[in-house]
Amino acid sequence: MILLSLPYTPDVETVAEDEARLTEEIVERMAATNRCAFERHRHGIRDAHAKSNGLLVGELEVHADLPPELRQGIFAEARTYQVVARLSSAPGDIHSDKIPAPRGFALKVMGVDGERLSPDIAGANQDFLMVNFPVLAFGTIPKYKQMLALLEANAHAPDTFQRLVAGTARGAKELVQALGLEPGATLEGLARDNHHPLGETYHTQAAIRFGDYIAKLALAPKSAEVRALAGQPLREVHDACMRDAVSAFFAEQGAEYELSAQLCVDLAAMPVEDAAIPWSEARSPHRPIATLRFPAQRSATPGRQVYGDDILSFNPWNGIEAHRPLGGIMRIRRAAYERSSAYRHTMNARPRTEPSQPSDIPD
């Protein structure tokens, strides 16, 4: 039985007294790390999800006959949007794919209507940023600050040490599961295997406004070809195996994914302010709202790699009020993403532009 969805009101968020101070400290620390990365590479990169694994163009078809609680925001009508998606690896530096890491799927829906969250960002697009596990290891701003030192140390450690950490975490995760327990988000993040990125299910992790309601989104393989890749390790693991696997797949065939929404039915059990707490599928299952389709294409041409790395930006606050990001982690991302994007574009002497049609993306 699907429980009654809770309505969105501004008071579902709770801003702590010291949030502004913590946000400033965290963003400055991330900026310092990003400046160090620039000096290593002599090139501006993102301070999260720095490594691209492919850039795709496609379409998002909103399902017809959705129930009223799912006909919200950009999903209010049955229509088809043009999209661009960037597949990535989560660290804020460029590492070998021999090191297991969380993978990202950033989706930009083009030509949406509605009140803009960030009018200073040009265009009329809606960004949804997703990662291939459902919760964050650091679900609140204070916890994120505590975790930042660990994340930075691991990101800048030698490759051999990072592989050792991932291997140890996988062993610990298997032991926890053997005892009938659920591994924590930190362990999940460190224990990622080198599975094919196109077979993964991706999650917004933190909550967003979903029109009149509150939700988390997920993107799961739908067509047989990508469903067959779920949980499958790559045959060859090398420095750029993720990019090469995506490129080889789309050189020969297309893919479909199902976008679904999980509505909040209980703020105590499904909190907005702590993104480390999983929302119960038993109490509120993910429900399909749209189909994402990508035709066969070249996903990693030189033009696309440069466009995705140096020009294109994704930001959860680039969108409409009906899909406002919710919770402390989302609020801190507003400052962090804007600073990172401005720095990257300035240091690379590249304009920041928002695509309005698929032809804006290089072949």
Side-chain angles (χ1 to χ4, degrees):
M1 181 180 68
I2 297 173
L3 300 178
L4 185 64
S5 304
L6 292 179
Y8 166 79
T9 58
D11 59 6
V12 300
E13 293 187 276
T14 304
V15 179
E17 291 183 2
D18 61 346
E19 182 168 304
R21 175 183 61 81
L22 287 174
T23 296
E24 184 177 353
E25 292 175 2
I26 290 169
V27 171
E28 177 49 40
R29 185 165 184 168
M30 293 174 70
T33 301
N34 201 211
R35 290 193 292 269
C36 290
F38 173 82
E39 293 302 331
R40 282 193 300 276
H41 302 289
R42 289 304 171 102
H43 194 82
I45 61 175
R46 291 168 168 86
D47 59 14
H49 292 271
K51 188 174 186 178
S52 294
N53 297 323
L55 196 66
L56 302 167
V57 293
E59 63 179 29
L60 183 72
E61 181 183 358
V62 178
H63 293 173
D65 301 322
L66 291 175
E69 67 272 18
L70 296 181
R71 291 201 306 268
Q72 304 291 326
I74 69 169
F75 309 101
E77 299 177 357
R79 59 174 292 188
T80 299
Y81 296 96
Q82 301 302 307
V83 302
V84 57
R86 177 179 181 263
L87 281 68
S88 63
S89 295
D93 207 340
I94 310 297
H95 295 298
S96 169
D97 289 345
K98 295 177 183 178
I99 302 168
R103 310 298 171 189
F105 196 116
L107 181 66
K108 186 180 295 290
V109 184
M110 294 184 278
V112 306
D113 300 321
E115 179 187 354
R116 304 300 299 175
L117 286 164
S118 303
D120 53 317
I121 299 178
N125 299 333
Q126 172 68 54
D127 294 353
F128 296 116
L129 280 63
M130 294 169 279
V131 180
N132 62 334
F133 54 102
V135 291
L136 283 161
F138 38 84
T140 65
I141 291 178
K143 289 179 182 177
Y144 180 72
K145 185 179 180 183
Q146 292 175 356
M147 283 289 296
L148 196 57
L150 173 63
L151 293 171
E152 290 175 348
N154 190 54
H156 298 138
D159 286 1
T160 52
F161 178 78
Q162 292 191 54
R163 289 198 293 272
L164 176 63
V165 168
T168 302
R170 281 197 298 275
K173 176 184 174 183
E174 290 168 1
L175 177 59
V176 167
Q177 290 173 328
L179 294 173
L181 303 173
E182 286 294 323
T186 301
L187 202 57
E188 287 278 9
L190 291 174
R192 298 308 303 180
D193 292 301
N194 272 317
H195 290 165
H196 200 297
L198 296 180
E200 297 282 88
T201 295
Y202 293 87
H203 308 263
T204 56
Q205 298 185 312
I208 65 169
R209 181 178 176 181
F210 194 71
D212 295 332
Y213 302 101
I214 304 159
K216 292 185 179 183
L217 304 185
L219 190 66
K222 183 176 183 179
S223 56
E225 293 79 8
V226 281
R227 283 192 288 109
L229 299 175
Q232 295 299 311
L234 296 179
R235 293 195 185 101
E236 296 183 15
V237 178
H238 53 80
D239 287 346
C241 60
M242 293 291 162
R243 179 199 64 196
D244 291 353
V246 173
S247 182
F249 179 93
F250 280 106
E252 298 182 353
Q253 58 199 314
E256 289 189 357
Y257 290 83
E258 185 171 79
L259 185 67
S260 60
Q262 183 185 27
L263 297 175
C264 180
V265 298
D266 181 348
L267 277 175
M270 306 168 74
V272 163
E273 289 295 344
D274 191 342
I277 297 177
W279 287 12
S280 169
E281 287 277 349
R283 300 193 68 186
S284 179
H286 274 89
R287 300 159 69 188
I289 55 176
T291 296
L292 179 63
R293 296 188 181 92
F294 297 111
Q297 59 193 283
R298 296 190 300 165
S299 62
T301 63
R304 283 201 177 183
Q305 291 187 85
V306 170
Y307 187 85
D309 287 344
D310 293 351
I311 297 175
L312 200 59
S313 289
F314 290 88
N315 184 333
W317 290 88
N318 180 28
I320 61 173
E321 177 61 42
H323 297 304
R324 168 179 286 271
L326 301 176
I329 291 298
M330 285 295 209
R331 291 192 296 273
I332 198 173
R333 284 175 173 170
R334 185 167 205 165
Y337 276 68
E338 278 304 306
R339 188 222 57 81
S340 176
S341 181
Y343 182 76
R344 175 167 55 94
H345 286 90
T346 297
M347 299 309 292
N348 294 335
R350 295 281 189 172
R352 173 178 175 171
T353 60
E354 281 289 314
S356 60
Q357 55 194 353
S359 60
D360 292 338
I361 312 301
D363 290 327

